[in-house]
Amino acid sequence: MKNQLGNIGKDTSIEELDKIFKNDSVEKFPLNEEITREYRVFGVNGKPSLVFMPRIHNDSVKGLELVKIYSSQYATEKGISTNSTFKDIVDNYSIDKIEPSFSAAILFINELNATISLNKQDLNLDEFDMRKINQGQIPDEASITYMSLWFE
């Protein structure tokens, strides 16, 4: 669902995340600071499965801005997860824009209010190549590095 990850939405607080993920390994960054700028939930492999970025206004946390999804256990209503391919994305969603970054091609999916990051190595592009990328350049089997769900 747009603007939600399960029961988590833009107004979810850090305290609520603590309750939701009480049985998971969690780290707040920076450590020992009053304001949490990143809230990382780790999977059993020791790698982050979710990274929440709080919305900060006037030095106080005002809910959530986005969540980066690295784990395939989280999927869209149409079944797209980090185990999906570019072809899976194209078959299920309209890609509204493609932007290059240093290491990825970023797909903008307005229907989900999300961006999906594809590794540039899968596209046979140099890591720092910042030229425009069109949909025809992306192989069907290109894999997803992570998905970002933006909360509005």
Side-chain angles (χ1 to χ4, degrees):
M1 190 180 309
K2 192 173 185 174
N3 296 321
Q4 275 192 239
L5 177 68
N7 294 329
I8 299 169
K10 71 175 183 172
D11 295 323
T12 303
S13 69
I14 297 298
E15 292 76 22
E16 289 172 294
L17 290 178
D18 282 339
K19 290 175 188 165
I20 293 166
F21 297 107
K22 69 179 181 231
N23 296 324
D24 294 290
S25 178
V26 171
E27 288 185 356
K28 298 175 190 176
F29 290 93
L31 299 172
N32 304 318
E33 293 288 328
E34 197 169 304
I35 295 178
T36 299
R37 302 213 181 266
E38 266 188 33
Y39 186 98
R40 299 177 186 177
V41 180
F42 289 85
V44 291
N45 61 3
K47 295 180 181 175
S49 58
L50 298 170
V51 176
F52 292 92
M53 310 290 279
R55 192 169 359 107
I56 299 170
H57 183 71
N58 294 335
D59 284 340
S60 64
V61 174
K62 302 288 187 192
L64 300 174
E65 182 175 358
L66 74 100
V67 59
K68 290 183 180 182
I69 303 165
Y70 293 93
S71 171
S72 62
Q73 76 185 72
Y74 302 96
T76 68
E77 290 175 328
K78 295 181 181 178
I80 301 301
S81 74
T82 55
N83 280 347
S84 301
T85 64
F86 179 68
K87 182 176 182 351
D88 298 328
I89 298 165
V90 170
D91 288 349
N92 287 282
Y93 295 101
S94 178
I95 297 171
D96 298 288
K97 183 168 68 168
I98 302 172
E99 292 283 332
S101 76
F102 287 119
S103 60
I106 310 296
L107 311 178
F108 289 75
I109 314 293
N110 290 346
E111 180 181 343
L112 297 172
N113 201 34
T115 55
I116 297 175
S117 178
L118 305 176
N119 191 324
K120 272 192 177 174
Q121 291 176 343
D122 289 351
L123 283 59
N124 296 317
L125 295 172
D126 290 332
E127 188 171 357
F128 295 103
D129 186 344
M130 295 298 289
R131 287 180 288 182
K132 183 171 173 49
I133 300 169
N134 65 54
Q135 201 165 317
Q137 287 177 271
I138 303 174
D140 285 348
E141 64 278 358
S143 60
I144 297 173
T145 308
Y146 64 88
M147 301 187 302
S148 295
L149 175 62
W150 297 82
F151 299 111
E152 291 184 333

